[in-house]
Amino acid sequence: MTPTIKDVAAHAGFSIATVSRAINAPHTVNPVTLARVREAIDALKFIPSPLGRQLRGERTRLIGVVLPTLANPVFAECLQGIDELASAQGFRLMLMTTQYDAQRERHAIETLRAQRVEGLILTVADADTHPLLDELDADGPLYVLMHNDTKRRPSVSVDNHQAAFDGVRTLIAHGHRRILMLAGTLAASDRARQRHAGYAQAMEQAGLTPAPALEIDFNTAELAPSVLAHLTSGPSRPTALFCSNDLLAMVVMRGLRRARMRVPQDMSILGFDGLAVSELLAPPLASIGTPNGEIGRSAWQRLMARIGGEYAGPSLGLTLPHTLREGGTIAAIANVTHSGSLQRARGSIVS
Amino acid sequence: MTPTIKDVAAHAGFSIATVSRAINAPHTVNPVTLARVREAIDALKFIPSPLGRQLRGERTRLIGVVLPTLANPVFAECLQGIDELASAQGFRLMLMTTQYDAQRERHAIETLRAQRVEGLILTVADADTHPLLDELDADGPLYVLMHNDTKRRPSVSVDNHQAAFDGVRTLIAHGHRRILMLAGTLAASDRARQRHAGYAQAMEQAGLTPAPALEIDFNTAELAPSVLAHLTSGPSRPTALFCSNDLLAMVVMRGLRRARMRVPQDMSILGFDGLAVSELLAPPLASIGTPNGEIGRSAWQRLMARIGGEYAGPSLGLTLPHTLREGGTIAAIANVTHSGSLQRARGSIVS
DNA sequence: GTGAAAGCGCTAACAG
DNA sequence: CTGTTAGCGCTTTCAC
């Protein structure tokens, strides 16, 4: 069906060894021969099979990517960043998604490993305690984590704790005292925990009492009535919400609107992810931004460095700067300092 | 490094053939032997290399996916749909993106082909005139297009012409007469052309004059001043905009707001894609929806059918139903029928 | 400068 | 039931 090196050899009237050399080391072969071989290659539309090479023990030039989902633009953007560099450098990507499921994480890694990928770029639910990663450390292939903010393993991420801390401090600076954190299905993930810890620290430092994160299943794109009640009723209702990701923030925002609450006048909202789309809302969503494309590209570069053996230094976790996008969804509480400035200037600052 | 079947054979004290059988046809081997082999496999943490199998001419269980970009959720959603079925059926996905670039389309297909993928799922810029697809038809591998709405090749898509027609007719039904179509960088794509044709037909059928699509580069997430002027100034300014995709619609919407135009009171907007996020806007964006996950899954099923040789019938192009989500961004023109109902009920109808 | 041959990990006849 | 052997497409000594 598809022509092989053998067909080319026959067509050109040389041995397969010569054809191989003509392809991989053109300078070592007689120009006339070379020309004839190339003719044959063109005539047959021959493309060397990576399979042969790979099997021969050469580099597979294959990198595995394991992501929770592509439904969240955060990961799609990371993948986009990886793909940019990968295709520029002649690597192929093998993609698997896990839906935050440990079982599927295991399966993905095993599959990729079987495929003899040269390296792995992955985002897992919980990096620190993951036995699979220990296995990878021991038996390869080399890997780099994305968005898993851990000091124990090679990773590229923002400082989730610090980022959440900064964000919540901003809310506090706007006079908010009853601030609630909302988390999605990632509640079991290390990221969510770190963000909650940052929230808690900011609260305590201001003499406020942190609450446990309110877990929300937002797959339905609708807010449960019970949740809504929790957010809107009573004098002790929160005046600001810190959402563990932008998608969740958007759903919440719409839910509140339906309940006739105004954002930000009646409720301030801060997201996490800094999605481009969330900035297109009206008002633009305030959000802690992560440089997703850059995270993908950095992860790629670190992986390549590790593969190339250039990996140096004990700094396993690379921390990229997060940003704080002060959109229009944060208002100052009237009876405190910033009164009046319901809508802050837009723009983002690097923290 | 990684153990091979040979290592397992040695460890178990049997031949590699027996090990192979123990793996691929357990019932043909003595239970005792089987147990011993399995022990060895576990002890060595052996995973059979697909490379060997693939080289042997077996099925590679590898499918190539070629997409313009992952930055647009439309494609991320398609991929998500594909991935669902692929991983359930034990296939691996190799992903390449093209950024709408013909050069990169060619490169992607060649790379994937070299990798001996069993099939290809792709979205190209222009399906009808694509020489690469002719080559695929001739030399394989089998493929299915997504979002390329053509009758000449195996594809899964909505009817772009009809969808645009339906959408624009709705705008007209609301009393709009000066309706402009905005298109993004995909202006060179078959989809954009088909959508414009649908727009034009709806206009003409209503006795209105269609305008050429206004091309907009919205990578910057900002609207060019010249464009904005075009949309807002003069008595002949459009009262409704039909945007060739939701991302564009969102950018436009924000641009208009900044220019102090109210949506939908001063300008109605209709998008195309039906992105989940665009429904979270306030008001929710009216949009023609495409079932992206379903498109991905259908493409997968058709590809599998083709590979399995079950491909039947001359119906190359599979057309999936589009939806019309009447969000809050379409208002009736006051001096015509629907006056008063500035905001329509939400909900989606299958067309 | 070129060819013959071995071998990468695996499966599939074919023997025994 | 199990082992031997050939060969998938390719690269790479090692001869010539």
Side-chain angles (χ1 to χ4, degrees):
Chain A
M1 165 135 182
T2 28
T4 79
I5 197 174
K6 217 183 251 181
D7 300 323
V8 177
H11 191 100
F14 289 93
S15 73
I16 61 167
T18 301
V19 174
S20 176
R21 277 189 290 259
I23 295 169
N24 301 297
H27 55 280
T28 69
V29 39
N30 186 312
V32 183
T33 311
L34 184 58
R36 264 216 270 285
V37 170
R38 289 198 166 146
E39 254 174 55
I41 288 178
D42 289 346
L44 271 48
K45 293 189 198 161
F46 167 73
I47 305 175
S49 163
L51 263 45
R53 294 180 173 168
Q54 291 165 191
L55 190 51
R56 194 68 188 69
E58 307 305 301
R59 310 182 51 186
T60 59
R61 304 222 114 202
L62 220 54
I63 300 292
V65 180
V66 180
L67 262 23
T69 173
L70 291 167
N72 191 328
V74 168
F75 300 114
E77 286 172 14
C78 287
L79 181 52
Q80 181 90 6
I82 293 169
D83 183 60
E84 252 170 55
L85 264 36
S87 59
Q89 299 177 22
F91 280 78
R92 275 141 292 148
L93 256 30
M94 200 160 272
L95 172 74
M96 316 223 70
T97 64
T98 63
Q99 315 299 329
Y100 299 98
D101 180 272
Q103 186 90 13
R104 292 188 64 170
E105 285 177 353
R106 167 166 289 279
H107 176 251
I109 292 176
E110 271 173 5
T111 302
L112 260 13
R113 196 173 161 177
Q115 196 71 36
R116 305 303 192 258
V117 295
E118 287 186 42
L120 234 35
I121 296 181
L122 55 175
T123 299
V124 297
D126 195 324
D128 275 333
T129 66
H130 215 306
L132 257 67
L133 298 180
D134 291 325
E135 286 178 31
L136 288 181
D137 281 329
D139 308 329
L142 295 167
Y143 69 91
V144 174
L145 297 167
M146 285 188 312
H147 276 292
N148 288 113
D149 173 19
T150 169
K151 299 288 165 268
R152 294 188 47 222
R153 309 183 188 276
S155 68
V156 179
S157 172
V158 296
D159 183 335
N160 281 307
H161 183 108
Q162 182 69 42
F165 178 82
D166 291 348
V168 173
R169 222 173 30 174
T170 298
L171 290 173
I172 294 172
H174 279 77
H176 293 278
R177 300 187 58 81
R178 292 191 306 278
I179 304 169
L180 189 60
M181 174 165 172
L182 267 38
T185 40
L186 351 172
S189 83
D190 51 8
R191 288 180 290 295
R193 280 202 310 277
Q194 290 158 346
R195 291 172 193 178
H196 185 263
Y199 152 83
Q201 195 194 333
M203 292 293 278
E204 281 162 2
Q205 190 171 303
L208 303 173
T209 310
L214 183 60
E215 283 190 47
I216 295 186
D217 175 17
F218 63 106
N219 289 334
T220 60
E222 294 293 338
L223 224 45
S226 62
V227 172
L228 205 53
H230 194 318
L231 302 184
T232 58
S233 64
S236 66
R237 72 161 186 86
T239 62
L241 301 176
F242 169 43
C243 300
S244 72
N245 69 64
D246 274 11
L247 254 28
L248 173 57
M250 291 165 79
V251 170
V252 168
M253 211 164 136
R254 196 177 57 163
L256 291 175
R257 281 237 177 75
R258 294 231 182 112
R260 300 277 162 231
M261 290 196 82
R262 294 165 305 164
V263 175
Q265 294 89 336
D266 301 328
M267 182 76 88
S268 288
I269 296 186
L270 173 64
F272 202 122
D273 285 341
L275 293 188
V277 289
S278 69
E279 198 182 3
L280 295 174
L281 301 178
L285 179 65
S287 185
I288 294 155
T290 59
N292 298 317
E294 188 54 32
I295 286 177
R297 285 188 293 272
S298 288
W300 178 266
Q301 283 161 346
R302 280 178 82 90
L303 182 61
M304 287 300 124
R306 287 193 77 186
I307 290 177
E310 310 160 20
Y311 184 61
S315 60
L316 288 170
L318 173 62
T319 300
L320 260 34
H322 56 272
T323 58
L324 184 52
R325 187 176 78 203
E326 296 205 24
T329 58
I330 300 182
I333 286 287
N335 55 7
V336 196
T337 46
H338 304 264
S339 61
S341 73
L342 284 181
Q343 190 115 352
R344 303 255 311 177
R346 296 186 52 270
S348 64
I349 57 168
V350 177
S351 70
Chain B
M1 169 137 179
T2 27
T4 80
I5 197 174
K6 214 184 257 182
D7 300 323
V8 177
H11 191 102
F14 289 93
S15 73
I16 61 167
T18 301
V19 175
S20 177
R21 277 188 291 259
I23 295 169
N24 301 296
H27 55 277
T28 67
V29 35
N30 184 311
V32 183
T33 310
L34 183 58
R36 265 216 269 286
V37 170
R38 288 197 164 147
E39 252 173 57
I41 289 178
D42 289 345
L44 273 46
K45 293 189 199 161
F46 167 73
I47 306 175
S49 163
L51 263 46
R53 294 178 174 168
Q54 290 166 193
L55 188 52
R56 193 70 191 69
E58 307 305 302
R59 312 181 51 185
T60 60
R61 304 222 113 198
L62 218 53
I63 299 293
V65 180
V66 180
L67 261 24
T69 172
L70 292 167
N72 192 329
V74 169
F75 300 115
E77 284 172 15
C78 288
L79 182 52
Q80 180 89 9
I82 293 169
D83 182 60
E84 251 169 55
L85 264 38
S87 60
Q89 298 176 23
F91 280 78
R92 274 142 294 149
L93 256 31
M94 200 162 275
L95 171 74
M96 315 224 69
T97 64
T98 63
Q99 315 300 326
Y100 298 100
D101 179 90
Q103 186 89 15
R104 293 188 61 168
E105 285 176 353
R106 167 167 289 278
H107 176 250
I109 293 176
E110 272 173 5
T111 302
L112 260 15
R113 198 173 159 177
Q115 195 72 35
R116 306 302 192 259
V117 295
E118 286 185 45
L120 235 33
I121 297 182
L122 54 176
T123 299
V124 297
D126 194 325
D128 275 333
T129 67
H130 215 305
L132 255 69
L133 297 179
D134 291 325
E135 287 178 31
L136 287 182
D137 281 328
D139 308 330
L142 295 167
Y143 69 92
V144 174
L145 297 168
M146 283 188 311
H147 276 292
N148 288 112
D149 172 19
T150 170
K151 298 288 166 269
R152 297 186 47 222
R153 311 185 187 276
S155 67
V156 179
S157 171
V158 298
D159 185 334
N160 281 307
H161 183 109
Q162 182 69 43
F165 177 84
D166 291 348
V168 174
R169 221 173 32 175
T170 298
L171 290 173
I172 294 171
H174 280 76
H176 293 277
R177 299 185 61 78
R178 294 192 305 279
I179 303 170
L180 189 59
M181 174 165 171
L182 268 36
T185 40
L186 352 172
S189 84
D190 51 8
R191 288 180 291 293
R193 282 201 309 278
Q194 290 159 346
R195 290 172 193 179
H196 185 263
Y199 152 83
Q201 194 193 333
M203 292 293 278
E204 281 162 2
Q205 190 171 302
L208 303 172
T209 311
L214 182 60
E215 282 190 46
I216 294 186
D217 175 17
F218 62 104
N219 289 331
T220 61
E222 293 295 336
L223 225 44
S226 62
V227 172
L228 204 52
H230 194 319
L231 301 184
T232 59
S233 64
S236 67
R237 71 163 187 85
T239 62
L241 301 176
F242 169 43
C243 300
S244 72
N245 69 63
D246 273 12
L247 255 25
L248 174 57
M250 290 165 78
V251 170
V252 168
M253 211 164 139
R254 198 178 54 161
L256 290 174
R257 281 238 177 78
R258 294 230 182 115
R260 301 273 161 234
M261 289 196 81
R262 293 165 306 164
V263 175
Q265 294 88 337
D266 302 326
M267 181 77 88
S268 288
I269 295 185
L270 174 64
F272 201 121
D273 284 341
L275 293 188
V277 289
S278 68
E279 197 182 4
L280 295 174
L281 300 179
L285 179 67
S287 184
I288 294 155
T290 59
N292 298 317
E294 187 54 33
I295 286 177
R297 286 188 292 270
S298 287
W300 177 266
Q301 283 160 345
R302 280 176 83 90
L303 182 61
M304 286 300 122
R306 287 192 76 186
I307 290 177
E310 311 160 20
Y311 183 62
S315 61
L316 288 170
L318 173 62
T319 300
L320 261 33
H322 56 273
T323 57
L324 184 52
R325 188 177 76 204
E326 298 206 23
T329 58
I330 300 182
I333 285 287
N335 57 5
V336 196
T337 46
H338 304 265
S339 61
S341 74
L342 284 181
Q343 188 117 354
R344 306 249 315 173
R346 297 188 53 271
S348 64
I349 56 169
V350 177
S351 71

